[in-house]
Structure formats: structure tokens, C-alpha cells
Amino acid sequence: MRTKWSEYINPAVQQIPPSGIRRFFDLATEMEGVISLGVGEPDFVTPWHIREACIYSLHRGRTTYTSNHGLLELREGIADYLSSQGARYNPRKEILVTVGVSEALDLAFRTLICPGDEVIIPTPCYVSYLPCTELAGGVPVTVATSMEDQFRLTADKLEAAITPKSKVLLLCFPNNPTGAVMDRENLLKIAEVVRKHDLLVISDEVYDRLTYTGQHTCFAALPGMQERTIVLNGFSKAYAMTGWRLGYAAANEEFIAAMTKIHQYTMLCAPITAQVSALEALRHGKAAMEDMVAHYNRRRRLVVQGFKEIGLPCFEPGGAFYAFPYIGNTGLTATEFAENLLLEEKVAVIPGDVFGPGGEDCVRCSYASSVEDLTEALQRMGRFLKRRGLQNSKVVYI
Amino acid sequence: MHEILDLLQNNSRLTAAQIAVLTGRKEQEVKTMIEKLEADKTIIKYFTLINWEKAGVEKVSALIEVKMAPQRDVGFDAVAERIYRFPEVKTVHLMSGAYDLAVLVEEVTMKEVAMFVATKLATIENVLSTATHFVLKTYKQNGFILEDKESNKRLVVTP
Ligand SMILES: Cc1ncc(COP(=O)(O)O)c(C=O)c1O
């Protein structure tokens, strides 16, 4: 045996830097009384009718594998949903049920990317995008969005990032970590560039239902875009089903067939229990989902107003459950801000730089927490700023 | 407006300022709306949901089914009124089905319930019969699970 295990480990894996979130996790977990705004999942438990349907399915002994593609009924439900968004898919051939958007993302990359292909990724972005691109042999090309543009991708910035090796554009709106949304008008401009340069698009729309300003536009629903788009979506956020691990990809028949090859040999199928429950969510989950969305929306207003009052500039997030306030005027880096805030006031937020270029001067605050916890966290943050002579007004909503 | 009612039903201690922030309205606008809702009795009363058992109060509650004969012109209303005026009666519904009135008496002793049924309720004219069911345990009230054992333990930091 060689002296070090690392000598056996694939250099491509070794190269991946440890997650920036991980360090925070360790620090925050050890402390008592922490209010965490660092959680990227709903604080709601999965609605009862969905859990009940799950229990019933177990009673009935539904414990087998399903088709590699997933239960046909579920794919039909997904196709119906996508059709309501303006994109029509054949449930038999153009939809693949996966273990979360996470698996769908990995499959899409591995199916698409040849060594050296460039993937254009607007940042700040979900932490998996860059490492998954690299693991698939691709080259991530980041495009930093900015607060001035409401963290939207602009056609100009996209144009500037394109090279002869550009193959895919990865979109995620509503966005983690910024909460940015892009309306139809904004997306049409992106679609034009996509068409001009013959790009493909992977559109991660896992936060689509969590849109508060305007209406979500599915990228595949734009004229001419369905044929070049792989839509990824899932049940984690809309139905508070993160732990069930269920998502899907919708795309062209040939592409889904290719993805399914990898899926069948690596995953076989998504868990049947989660599939049955997801079907229940699609069929009867609308009211519960809308209720949760209404709660997020109130909390969104609360934190945006709160940040304003304690003196943190924050652009108004239109979707997901994150706010991304600007901390550049505190004289601290995002990491220093987050670390000191955690140590002094026991509030956990995530430094924006872990989400890539453009996030350096911001911190991600998840508002998927109770109004009471959010209020307390805002008070503590206000105190933290005041100690530094930065708080500019009184917090009135307490 | 419904959103304001929902919020208040859930937590009647929310101030107009807080509701304004949560709903994206102006504070004065919320104030005016609440005043109107109070004035026209859409909002009837603010109260507190208490787990009396936890407070060490060992009193009982009972659901009494009442069958009665309807009266000319007033139907069940006159009899219902004679019943709901008793202060120990907390809730009264006119029901479809096997009986007519559902009468809920709360926070009384067993003896008080017995006395109430035998000497007050059953003796009202047009009350044909009663059936008394004692509450053994309350799991959920007004939409709230009293002893919620469910816990949603999320990791403190996730991507
Ligand atoms: C943008 C984005 N995509 C994908 C995921 C992962 O979703 P899933 O639970 O479906 O794997 C997350 C989870 O945080 C996310 O924020």
C-alpha cells in the first residue's frame, strides 16, 4: 500500500475545494442558542396529507422498484404541471424522475459535457453547480451578476462570456442564494443570445412556485426554447419535501433516453415511496403549498423591511426564501461578518462568497424560519451593527 | 383583508405595525381596516387559547346533544337562546342530522354538568331529550395541536 490514501484518490476529486458552508456548519452546530438563517430548506414539515398518503402506500405494500423513468402516473402529473407552465412534454419519453434535482443536475452534466466544454454559470449560484461541472469534465465559466441588475443575468454579460467552447448555459431563477427572479421580458433577451450562439440551457427551476413578484416563466415555455432546454425541478422546496429526495428532468426524447442510461445503472430508479408521495403532492397539494408560500412572502417582507431599518441595504428578492443583504459598508468581509455575527450574537448567516463571484459583499439569510425567530435575529443583527456604529435607525416592528 | 383576519386569528397580539410589515401595507391602512372590522363585528373578540390542564385546573368539558321540537315562527332559535344564555355554555351549534343542538359546556365540575343538564337543560320546554358526552382529552383545539410532539430538526446550515 502506498503511504497516503490521497495517492489513491482521483485528483479530480481531490481538486474540489471543501464546501465553504461546511466550516460554518461545524462552528454553528457546536453553539447553543443559535438562530440560524443559514438553512436552505423549508421550516415546514411536509403537509400531512402527503405523509398520510405515504403511510398508506406502505400499508399497501408499495415497496418495489419502479420503471427507470419513474411511475408513469407521476410523470403524467409532472407533464400536466409543466403544460400549465406552457411547456408540453410527452410523459412516456420526455420526463425522467430522479433522486432530487441534485441527481438530475449531475445526470444532465454527465450526459452533455465533453472534456473541455464550457458551462456558463451566472453567479452567485447554488454551491453544487461548479463542482458538478468539473466532475463531469466541463469548465465552469462564471458570470457575476450584480445587485444593480437585481442579480439578474443580462444579455450583455452573457454575450461577453461566450467562447467557441461554450456549450451550456445554466440558469437558476428564482435564485439561490440571491432570491433574484427573471421575468419573461428578461428571459426573452437571454433566449435571443442562446439562439444566436446555439447554446443549450439547463434551467434549475426548483424554486418556481416560490415566486412572489410577478409570475414565474419556465424557460422551456419561451418561443423556440423547449428544444434546447433541460428543465430541472422537484418537490423539495414547494412542498417542503427535501428529505424525500425527489425531482425530475424534462427534455427532448433523445436526451432523456441518454440520461436514463446513466440513471438506470447508477440509481435504477427514484424511491417508490417518495414517488407515490410526490404524486399526492401534485394532485392535492396546491392549497397547502400556497399557504406555505403566503407565509414565506410575509417573512420576506419582514426581513427586507428589517434589513432596511437596521441599515443593511438589501435588494428585494422576488423568489425562493433567501435575502442577500449587502454588508460591504460594514468594513468587514462577508466571512468576517458571518463569523463575528455568529460569535457575538449567535445568528448564523452564510457569507456570500461561497456562492461564487458577485457574492463577496453580501450574506445569504434564509427566511424559512418563524416570524419570532426572524424578528429576534433581526434584533440581534441590529445590535451587532450598532456596536460598530452602523445602525442607522430604530427597529420599529418589534 | 382576509390575510389580516388570518394573521389575527392566529395571533391576536400582532400590532398594526407588525401586520403592515408582514402584508406589505401601510400601518395606518391596517389600523383603519382593523377598526372597521371590529366596528362591524367581523372581529368579535380577541382571546387566548389556554391549556387549562397544564395550569393545574381539573375541570371537565362536555358535549351535550340536544333534541328539541321546533316552534312555530321561530324554529329552534328561541330554545337555543334559552340555552346559550347560560354562562357555562361556551359554544352552541344548530346541527343537521341525528340531533338538533350541539351544546359545549367547558371548565365546570362533573357535578355542575349533571346539575345543569338535569335541572336546567332537560326542563326547558320543547327540549325532547339530551345525551351528555364528557371530553376525556383534548388533542387539538381551534386548529392548534396542544401537545405537538412533531419536531422538524433541520441542520443549522444547509446549502
Ligand atoms: C438551486 C437549487 N437547486 C437544487 C437544489 C437541490 O434540490 P433537491 O433537494 O431536489 O436535490 C437546491 C437545494 O438547496 C437548490 O437550492
Side-chain angles (χ1 to χ4, degrees):
Chain A
M1 181 136 181
R2 282 170 248 174
T3 50
K4 278 164 53 190
W5 253 105
S6 58
E7 292 177 37
Y8 292 93
I9 293 170
N10 178 351
V13 176
Q14 288 199 39
Q15 261 175 26
I16 299 175
S19 159
I21 282 184
R22 184 77 222 169
R23 218 165 57 83
F24 252 80
F25 176 76
D26 294 338
L27 205 58
T29 307
E30 283 165 19
M31 292 171 71
E32 290 261 321
V34 171
I35 296 182
S36 182
L37 308 186
V39 195
E41 64 178 320
D43 59 322
F44 298 105
V45 181
T46 308
W48 175 250
H49 72 96
I50 299 174
R51 289 187 276 158
E52 204 275 333
C54 158
I55 295 165
Y56 180 60
S57 83
L58 291 173
H59 269 291
R60 282 176 51 208
R62 297 193 74 179
T63 56
T64 59
Y65 293 130
T66 69
S67 125
N68 297 133
H69 286 93
L71 296 169
L72 181 58
E73 277 178 298
L74 175 58
R75 282 179 281 143
E76 284 168 349
I78 292 166
D80 284 348
Y81 171 64
L82 291 172
S83 145
S84 77
Q85 301 298 297
R88 300 192 142 273
Y89 291 93
N90 176 349
R92 291 176 185 275
K93 294 181 172 158
E94 297 181 318
I95 290 170
L96 175 65
V97 176
T98 58
V99 177
V101 170
S102 303
E103 193 213 352
L105 188 69
D106 181 41
L107 291 179
F109 280 149
R110 287 202 276 162
T111 306
L112 208 54
I113 293 173
C114 306
D117 281 349
E118 290 181 357
V119 179
I120 300 172
I121 305 178
T123 56
C125 70
Y126 181 48
V127 293
S128 300
Y129 293 168
L130 272 66
C132 284
T133 304
E134 284 170 352
L135 280 171
V139 179
V141 175
T142 58
V143 179
T145 60
S146 65
M147 189 144 85
E148 295 79 68
D149 297 328
Q150 274 107 52
F151 291 107
R152 290 179 181 138
L153 176 64
T154 62
D156 291 348
K157 281 189 177 169
L158 175 58
E159 243 345 311
I162 288 169
T163 76
K165 289 189 171 166
S166 305
K167 188 170 194 176
V168 200
L169 166 65
L170 178 48
L171 289 177
C172 175
F173 294 96
N175 181 267
N176 176 7
T178 62
V181 292
M182 285 185 66
D183 63 23
R184 197 180 159 84
E185 292 306 303
N186 306 139
L187 288 173
L188 280 171
K189 291 186 190 131
I190 300 301
E192 225 171 275
V193 183
V194 164
R195 196 178 299 115
K196 180 170 152 203
H197 295 279
D198 196 21
L199 298 177
L200 294 178
V201 174
I202 297 176
S203 188
D204 177 349
E205 303 186 12
V206 74
Y207 292 102
D208 66 342
R209 316 280 180 102
L210 277 53
T211 299
Y212 316 105
T213 53
Q215 218 179 351
H216 175 78
T217 301
C218 176
F219 197 78
L222 298 176
M225 285 301 115
Q226 183 164 346
E227 60 187 36
R228 47 175 83 242
T229 302
I230 301 144
V231 175
L232 309 183
N233 204 335
F235 297 83
S236 287
K237 315 291 174 175
Y239 298 100
M241 291 180 72
T242 45
W244 301 73
R245 314 304 309 123
L246 207 76
Y248 56 88
N252 163 279
E253 173 179 347
E254 270 176 77
F255 191 76
I256 289 292
M259 278 175 86
T260 307
K261 278 197 226 169
I262 308 179
H263 175 72
Q264 74 182 345
Y265 294 128
T266 54
M267 203 61 67
L268 214 165
C269 67
I272 186 170
T273 310
Q275 292 192 52
V276 171
S277 308
L279 185 58
E280 170 70 19
L282 280 181
R283 284 189 177 155
H284 306 295
K286 192 157 177 276
M289 186 252 299
E290 286 172 351
D291 188 49
M292 292 190 275
V293 172
H295 274 96
Y296 294 136
N297 196 7
R298 289 180 200 130
R299 298 156 176 192
R300 178 182 73 101
R301 296 191 185 108
L302 175 75
V303 296
V304 170
Q305 173 74 15
F307 287 144
K308 217 182 275 173
E309 286 173 6
I310 64 177
L312 283 183
C314 182
F315 109 100
E316 189 187 332
F321 37 57
Y322 308 106
F324 207 55
Y326 175 79
I327 52 91
N329 57 1
T330 61
L332 302 168
T333 66
T335 304
E336 287 165 352
F337 182 95
E339 247 168 35
N340 289 327
L341 181 64
L342 181 61
L343 295 174
E344 291 174 32
E345 292 291 346
K346 297 189 176 183
V347 174
V349 298
I350 314 249
D353 52 301
V354 310
F355 304 101
E360 296 83 357
D361 291 329
C362 298
V363 294
R364 189 192 76 175
C365 301
S366 159
Y367 52 82
S369 282
S370 69
V371 166
E372 291 73 26
D373 276 359
L374 291 171
T375 307
E376 171 67 22
L378 285 165
Q379 267 177 315
R380 294 185 189 184
M381 290 173 83
R383 220 154 50 204
F384 176 83
L385 293 172
K386 202 168 183 185
R387 265 203 298 284
R388 287 166 173 75
L390 286 162
Q391 195 190 37
N392 64 3
S393 67
K394 211 170 103 275
V395 186
V396 300
Y397 49 82
I398 294 154
Chain B
M1 186 189 76
H2 283 180
E3 189 175 19
I4 293 180
L5 290 173
D6 270 346
L7 284 168
L8 282 174
Q9 185 167 41
N10 209 31
N11 179 2
S12 59
R13 296 178 71 184
L14 283 177
T15 64
Q18 287 170 318
I19 293 172
V21 171
L22 292 174
T23 61
R25 290 183 170 85
K26 297 255 180 304
E27 183 179 341
Q28 192 50 49
E29 183 193 345
V30 173
K31 239 185 206 142
T32 313
M33 282 171 94
I34 293 176
E35 278 163 12
K36 233 178 104 206
L37 290 164
E38 287 170 348
D40 72 11
K41 294 277 179 206
T42 303
I43 293 174
I44 298 167
K45 193 171 168 58
Y46 299 97
F47 72 99
T48 309
L49 183 62
I50 294 170
N51 186 341
W52 282 107
E53 204 175 306
K54 241 192 165 142
V57 174
E58 293 204 6
K59 294 208 167 173
V60 300
S61 300
L63 173 74
I64 308 164
E65 302 173 0
V66 179
K67 284 188 193 166
M68 46 194 197
Q71 291 169 285
R72 191 171 188 127
D73 296 335
V74 291
F76 295 119
D77 293 353
V79 186
E81 183 174 355
R82 285 185 63 185
I83 296 172
Y84 66 61
R85 294 250 172 237
F86 287 104
E88 55 269 53
V89 171
K90 291 289 150 62
T91 305
V92 177
H93 302 291
L94 180 63
M95 311 294 288
S96 66
Y99 57 94
D100 302 310
L101 283 188
V103 175
L104 207 62
V105 290
E106 286 176 3
E107 296 143 42
V108 285
T109 63
M110 194 96 79
K111 205 165 153 198
E112 281 165 346
V113 176
M115 289 295 287
F116 173 71
V117 174
T119 65
K120 310 258 172 61
L121 202 53
T123 58
I124 294 175
E125 358 160 359
N126 294 311
V127 167
L128 303 177
S129 72
T130 65
T132 304
H133 309 274
F134 283 99
V135 174
L136 301 182
K137 180 172 179 175
T138 302
Y139 295 101
K140 186 176 183 180
Q141 196 167 357
N142 294 22
F144 289 92
I145 296 168
L146 296 190
E147 277 178 52
D148 206 345
K149 292 184 207 82
E150 201 166 69
S151 74
N152 183 9
K153 285 221 163 62
R154 298 181 295 171
L155 299 175
V156 286
V157 173
T158 55

